[in-house]
Amino acid sequence: MSLAKEAQQVADEFEYSTEDVNKGVKEFIKQMDEGLQKSGTMMSQIPTYVTAVPNGTEKGLYLAVDLGGTNFRVCSIQLHGNTTFSLTQSKVAIPKELMVAKTAKELFSFLAKQIETFLKTHHSDHFQAHIERRKTMSASAGYREENLFQLGFTFSFPVHQIGINKGTLIRWTKGFDIDDAVGKDVCELLQHEINALHLPVKVAALVNDTVGTLMARSYASPGKIGTLLGAIFGTGTNGAYVEKLDKVTKMSSMGGTDYDKTTGEMIINTEWGSFDNAMSVLPDTPYDRALDKESVNPGIQMFEKRVSGMFLGEILRRAILHLTQDEKIQLFRDENSSSNDVHSTTTIAEDSALYTQWGIDTSFLSIVREDQSAGLRITRHLLEKDLGISAASSEDAEAVKVLVTAIGKRSARLSAVALGAVVISTGKLEGNDDLVDIGVDGSLVEYYPGFEVYIREAFREIPEIGQKGEQRIRIGIAKDGSGVGAALIALVAAGMEDRALMDD
């Protein structure tokens, strides 16, 4: 069998049919409903205590921090009140050892120090004024509320949220594993370390990055219809959407009552990365199973492991490795230099990233998918630069591209299952001709060529959406969602607190 056919045979294992998409949508809606009724379900469907989306007129200066993956971002956001904002930020990589630290304090004190550095660098006047003011106050008085920076804390891990700035960590994902933090209030952990440094900062809101994406999209794109759904397709994947409050029947048993009920709505953080952990409808290949078995959380986040950027490179690595380990398959093999169009023989370095878990970054997929160069020259250069595979032939590059396309397409079609299920379950396409607005963020949806095209193709295959419905769904990139969105929720939280004080 030719190399092209062998590669196509592996690619076919990633086929996700129209029937699969529709089975997935039905099961997704079922698991959404279960999560709204009770706790402890596969999809957590976490109430966020945020009960409205912005309309673009909000103003003020707010801080936001974002712990969403391997980086920690600190920013200040000036909302101008006309759907625009100005953002100042700094970003630092989380040291690997802190991702698996023995105590929560090690990680959170590092985060607080980054906030201190940011304030001294970008808001030194404001910061120094606070320091001077503190010297004139009694130690017990601390700062007055109006002198504090209100901070939105974007924390993109599963939490049990019981208030707008209260939430206990359920479990870590994305390579973090600090047992000491599980079950603790992450806002309290951060506030404690902020206080230890005497910083004029109040952790006002706990924000999931997906909720932030929804808020940021709604601020920048208000229109007649508020944004329905915010979704992340990047290192991880998740979605947050506006749900009718009377459908969130588990609220009565959750204890948190401090929220505005007048809107009749609440933003729900789905935590859809764990959709169908039981594997009743999700696709499965030997490469998925091997990845899961050797991951830090086997059997968990099964949807995310097939969709998000953190995992697609690893799925590709395992698929390529499978082909190279079969001596009958000619991937990266030449009988002699005459059978290779670069007149050499292909070699794989002994220390190639192909042999290392997580050795292929998802950016590799985006570059290969986009490559239209003669003989896939860019892909061949990338194989040498990133994987130590020298003198790869054009047939080798074509085989890799076939796999990349199949893995990316399956990810996008699975993404359509999640997005489509939310649109259908909220009834937004029924009884009107309004647009349904979705805000998205993340490297996959932004940089993987054709990702949205594949999503829309799958939408048209879902009878409840179809061609007409697909045309009414507007998908827009929500830039700086975790920063601007967090600032907007800090603003909402400060407003809630002001109203509560007035009521008292």
Side-chain angles (χ1 to χ4, degrees):
M1 198 187 295
S2 70
L3 175 55
K5 283 185 177 170
E6 294 279 10
Q8 190 56 54
Q9 204 166 52
V10 173
D12 289 344
E13 295 182 61
F14 295 99
E15 179 70 25
Y16 192 61
S17 69
T18 298
E19 186 185 353
D20 293 331
V21 167
N22 282 289
K23 270 187 191 166
V25 168
K26 284 184 178 62
E27 184 60 27
F28 201 99
I29 291 171
K30 182 182 159 204
Q31 290 187 27
M32 280 176 71
D33 288 342
E34 284 171 359
L36 292 174
Q37 291 160 27
K38 58 187 179 188
S39 299
T41 53
M42 258 186 283
M43 265 204 312
S44 300
Q45 291 284 76
I46 300 165
T48 64
Y49 299 86
V50 180
T51 57
V53 293
N55 61 19
T57 63
E58 294 79 5
K59 291 181 179 180
L61 176 66
Y62 294 87
L63 283 184
V65 296
D66 176 13
L67 183 65
T70 51
N71 291 313
F72 181 62
R73 189 164 71 122
V74 186
C75 31
S76 57
I77 297 98
Q78 183 73 53
L79 301 168
H80 299 305
N82 59 355
T83 78
T84 69
F85 57 87
S86 304
L87 181 139
T88 306
Q89 67 172 342
S90 69
K91 192 185 279 191
V92 63
I94 305 286
K96 285 273 193 292
E97 65 272 15
L98 290 184
M99 293 170 71
V100 291
K102 287 210 166 28
T103 66
K105 182 180 175 62
E106 292 170 70
L107 175 64
F108 283 88
S109 64
F110 171 82
L111 304 184
K113 281 174 186 141
Q114 306 314 310
I115 297 170
E116 180 180 47
T117 302
F118 179 85
L119 288 176
K120 285 179 175 174
T121 305
H122 298 289
H123 296 281
S124 56
D125 293 351
H126 202 143
F127 184 68
Q128 284 306 320
H130 283 306
I131 300 297
E132 292 305 314
R133 194 179 293 116
R134 190 174 184 88
K135 287 175 184 172
T136 66
M137 301 171 93
S138 67
S140 61
Y143 295 118
R144 290 195 302 274
E145 281 294 308
E146 63 267 26
N147 298 326
L148 293 173
F149 280 103
Q150 301 289 327
L151 178 141
F153 181 16
T154 300
F155 185 77
S156 307
F157 303 90
V159 291
H160 173 55
Q161 193 159 356
I162 51 172
I164 203 157
N165 69 342
K166 293 184 181 72
T168 55
L169 177 64
I170 296 169
R171 65 180 175 275
W172 290 106
T173 56
K174 306 176 200 171
F176 281 77
D177 189 15
I178 307 168
D179 278 346
D180 179 49
V182 176
K184 292 183 179 171
D185 181 348
V186 293
C187 289
E188 205 173 278
L189 288 170
L190 182 59
Q191 188 70 63
H192 186 268
E193 300 305 327
I194 285 170
N195 292 349
L197 295 173
H198 305 300
L199 304 180
V201 174
K202 178 179 180 182
V203 182
L206 177 61
V207 184
N208 181 276
D209 58 349
T210 322
V211 182
T213 297
L214 168 57
M215 298 292 276
R217 171 70 182 172
S218 208
Y219 178 79
S221 174
K224 187 173 68 162
I225 299 297
T227 302
L228 168 69
L229 167 64
I232 303 284
F233 299 107
T235 307
T237 183
N238 191 16
Y241 71 102
V242 182
E243 183 58 276
K244 291 185 182 72
L245 199 48
D246 59 13
K247 277 184 75 175
V248 195
T249 53
K250 68 180 177 183
M251 286 298 293
S252 56
S253 62
M254 288 183 65
T257 56
D258 185 18
Y259 59 93
D260 179 6
K261 301 176 185 66
T262 59
T263 65
E265 295 178 334
M266 181 171 290
I267 295 174
I268 298 294
N269 165 22
T270 65
E271 289 297 337
W272 71 33
S274 60
F275 164 61
D276 198 31
N277 280 344
M279 294 298 297
S280 61
V281 296
L282 282 177
D284 209 16
T285 69
Y287 324 108
D288 295 307
R289 288 191 289 276
L291 179 152
D292 179 54
K293 188 179 175 187
E294 293 177 33
S295 68
V296 296
N297 54 353
I300 293 173
Q301 300 294 105
M302 300 303 264
F303 181 73
E304 182 166 79
K305 284 172 180 167
R306 284 151 179 78
V307 171
S308 79
M310 181 170 180
F311 300 100
L312 299 191
E314 180 62 7
I315 294 171
L316 174 65
R317 185 186 75 83
R318 290 173 184 273
I320 292 173
L321 210 51
H322 165 75
L323 288 171
T324 61
Q325 286 167 345
D326 186 336
E327 290 186 8
K328 296 194 292 292
I329 296 174
Q330 294 300 301
L331 182 64
F332 306 135
R333 285 178 213 278
D334 305 298
E335 285 177 30
N336 57 60
S337 59
S338 68
S339 60
N340 184 317
D341 60 344
V342 290
H343 307 298
S344 183
T345 53
T346 308
T347 57
I348 305 175
E350 284 182 21
D351 63 348
S352 168
L354 193 57
Y355 304 127
T356 306
Q357 189 181 19
W358 314 115
I360 297 182
D361 187 80
T362 297
S363 61
F364 181 97
L365 280 83
S366 298
I367 296 166
V368 171
R369 180 72 183 88
E370 197 164 28
D371 186 9
Q372 301 295 325
S373 60
L376 296 182
R377 182 178 45 79
I378 292 168
T379 296
R380 289 148 84 174
H381 173 70
L382 202 62
L383 286 166
E384 182 156 13
K385 181 172 74 77
D386 288 8
L387 301 184
I389 301 170
S390 60
S393 68
S394 56
E395 287 86 352
D396 292 333
E398 285 287 359
V400 170
K401 187 167 185 176
V402 164
L403 297 177
V404 161
T405 301
I407 291 165
K409 184 174 182 179
R410 186 186 72 164
S411 166
R413 288 174 70 81
L414 281 164
S415 303
V417 165
L419 298 174
V422 172
V423 170
I424 293 164
S425 75
T426 53
K428 290 297 179 185
L429 290 174
E430 297 167 19
N432 63 64
D433 295 319
D434 293 334
L435 287 175
V436 177
D437 193 72
I438 295 174
V440 293
D441 195 10
S443 52
L444 262 183
V445 72
E446 196 168 356
Y447 299 120
Y448 185 91
F451 201 80
E452 186 181 331
V453 173
Y454 289 142
I455 286 174
R456 290 188 174 280
E457 189 178 85
F459 279 167
R460 292 192 291 274
E461 295 167 25
I462 301 167
E464 296 91 334
I465 297 176
Q467 192 155 352
K468 281 188 178 175
E470 178 266 315
Q471 289 170 355
R472 284 172 51 200
I473 297 172
R474 180 173 63 187
I475 298 174
I477 297 287
K479 290 311 294 170
D480 293 309
S482 59
V484 182
L488 287 159
I489 298 174
L491 177 150
V492 168
M496 275 175 60
E497 194 165 37
D498 290 345
R499 281 194 298 278
L501 287 170
M502 284 166 69
D503 291 345
D504 289 348

